C-alpha cells in the first residue's frame, strides 16, 4: 500500500519561498502514476496545485502557474513543491497525493498524505 | 478555471438517501468520465469514494454510488449513517490537462 509523507517548514514569511517534500513508499515513483499537490486553506475547500510524472513532465493550475514549481527525485523516491513568493493567502494544509493512472483507468487521487499546515506570517 | 458547483450543505435522517450534485462545464464534467468524489472528516485527509463517475474503490461501502448527466455529476448516499457525516468534494479532469475540485458539501445526519 502506497504511503506519502509531507515534510517542510510550518511557518514561512511573506514574499519568501514555501518548500515542501513528499516521501513516497510502498510504490515506485517511476510507475505509471502521476504525483500531485493539493492545498486547503483553513475552513475552505480543496485546490489542485499541480502534478508531475517521473520523467519530469508537469502540469500546473493556471492560477498558480507563475509561482509554482514541482520537481521529482527518482533516486530518493520523493517529489517536491516550491511556491514563491508567498502571501497570507497561501496559508493552508498542503497534501501530497498519488494521481492514479494505469491501462484501465486514470485521473483520480487514490492515496493522500496526512497533510501539513503551512502558515505564512511575519 | 472555476471550481465545480456543489450545494453548501445537504442533510438527511439515518436510513434515508441523499444526493449531492456537482455541476461543471463542457470543458470538464461534460466531456470526461473522469469524475471522482472524496469524503473528508474534520482534521483528516480526503478519502476517495468514487472514481470514473460510478466506480467504487475496494473497501468503500456500496451505499455510495455515482452518476452523471450532461455537465452535472451526482453522488448518492443510501441508508444514511452517522459515520457519513463529513464534507464531500467532487473532482474532474479538464480539457486544459488540469484538475478542478468542487466547492464542497457538508453532509449532516439529523
Amino acid at each position: 500500500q502506497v504511503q506519502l509523507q509531507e515534510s517542510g517548514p510550518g511557518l514561512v514569511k511573506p514574499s519568501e519561498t514555501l518548500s515542501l517534500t513528499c516521501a513516497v513508499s510502498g510504490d515506485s515513483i517511476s510507475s505509471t502514476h502521476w504525483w500531485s499537490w493539493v492545498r486547503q486553506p483553513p475552513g475552505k475547500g480543496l485546490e489542485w496545485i499541480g502534478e508531475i510524472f517521473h520523467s519530469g513532465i508537469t502540469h500546473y493550475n493556471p492560477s498558480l502557474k507563475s509561482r509554482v514549481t514541482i520537481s521529482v527525485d527518482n533516486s530518493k523516491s520523493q517529489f517536491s513543491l516550491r511556491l514563491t513568493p508567498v502571501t497570507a493567502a497561501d496559508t493552508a494544509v498542503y497534501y501530497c497525493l498519488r494521481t492514479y493512472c494505469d491501462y484501465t483507468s486514470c485521473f483520480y487521487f487514490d492515496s493522500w498524505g496526512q497533510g501539513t499546515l503551512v502558515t505564512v506570517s511575519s | 478555471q472555476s471550481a465545480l458547483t456543489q450545494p453548501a450543505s445537504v442533510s438527511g435522517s439515518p436510513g434515508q438517501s441523499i444526493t449531492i450534485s456537482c455541476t461543471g462545464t463542457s470543458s470538464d464534467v461534460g466531456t470526461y468520465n473522469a469524475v471522482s468524489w472524496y469524503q473528508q472528516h474534520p482534521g483528516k485527509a480526503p478519502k476517495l469514494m468514487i472514481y470514473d463517475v460510478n466506480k467504487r474503490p475496494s473497501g468503500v461501502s456500496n451505499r455510495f454510488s455515482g452518476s452523471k448527466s450532461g455537465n452535472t455529476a451526482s453522488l448518492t448516499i443510501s441508508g444514511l449513517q452517522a459515520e457519513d457525516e463529513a464534507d464531500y468534494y467532487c473532482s474532474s479532469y479538464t480539457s486544459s490537462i488540469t484538475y478542478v475540485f468542487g466547492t464542497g458539501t457538508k453532509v449532516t445526519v439529523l
Side-chain angles (χ1 to χ4, degrees):
Chain A
Q1 182 178 354
V2 62
Q3 291 188 317
L4 303 102
Q5 179 66 59
E6 305 90 351
S7 62
L11 181 64
V12 181
K13 289 182 169 57
S15 81
E16 296 191 347
T17 300
L18 179 158
S19 295
L20 296 173
T21 296
C22 181
V24 179
S25 59
D27 183 23
S28 170
I29 202 167
S30 300
S31 64
T32 60
H33 311 301
W34 291 67
W35 307 94
S36 290
W37 290 95
V38 166
R39 69 180 183 178
Q40 184 173 35
K44 296 187 178 181
L46 302 170
E47 180 179 35
W48 181 78
I49 299 172
E51 66 178 358
I52 191 164
F53 196 57
H54 63 81
S55 63
I57 299 172
T58 54
H59 301 125
Y60 297 125
N61 185 326
S63 68
L64 298 169
K65 188 172 184 177
S66 64
R67 299 193 294 130
V68 171
T69 302
I70 297 176
S71 58
V72 64
D73 187 332
N74 293 308
S75 66
K76 295 183 178 179
S77 196
Q78 62 186 35
F79 62 106
S80 300
L81 170 70
R82 185 173 181 269
L83 180 67
T84 189
V86 296
T87 70
D90 295 311
T91 293
V93 174
Y94 286 76
Y95 295 99
C96 63
L97 43 144
R98 185 175 76 173
T99 307
Y100 190 93
C101 191
D102 69 6
Y103 68 96
T104 62
S105 188
C106 215
F107 311 127
Y108 59 92
F109 312 119
D110 72 319
S111 300
W112 297 63
Q114 64 183 20
T116 186
L117 175 62
V118 178
T119 301
V120 178
S121 175
S122 56
Chain B
Q1 57 191 28
S2 299
L4 307 175
T5 301
Q6 298 180 231
S9 63
V10 173
S11 61
S13 299
Q16 286 187 332
S17 292
I18 62 169
T19 296
I20 303 168
S21 61
C22 169
T23 301
T25 70
S26 57
S27 296
D28 39 63
V29 175
T31 294
Y32 301 98
N33 285 329
V35 176
S36 50
W37 289 90
Y38 303 86
Q39 176 192 64
Q40 186 180 35
H41 286 109
K44 300 295 186 182
K47 173 188 175 185
L48 176 68
M49 304 301 284
I50 294 288
Y51 67 97
D52 291 355
V53 174
N54 56 14
K55 297 178 183 176
R56 274 180 291 104
S58 174
V60 171
S61 171
N62 58 10
R63 298 185 298 104
F64 292 84
S65 61
S67 62
K68 189 184 87 166
S69 178
N71 294 339
T72 298
S74 298
L75 173 72
T76 297
I77 309 174
S78 58
L80 198 61
Q81 299 180 1
E83 66 206 52
D84 300 331
E85 187 161 293
D87 293 327
Y88 291 82
Y89 294 90
C90 60
S91 175
S92 175
Y93 183 71
T94 83
S95 59
S96 300
I97 319 180
T98 62
Y99 293 85
V100 60
F101 283 100
T103 50
T105 298
K106 181 177 180 59
V107 169
T108 301
V109 181
L110 302 171

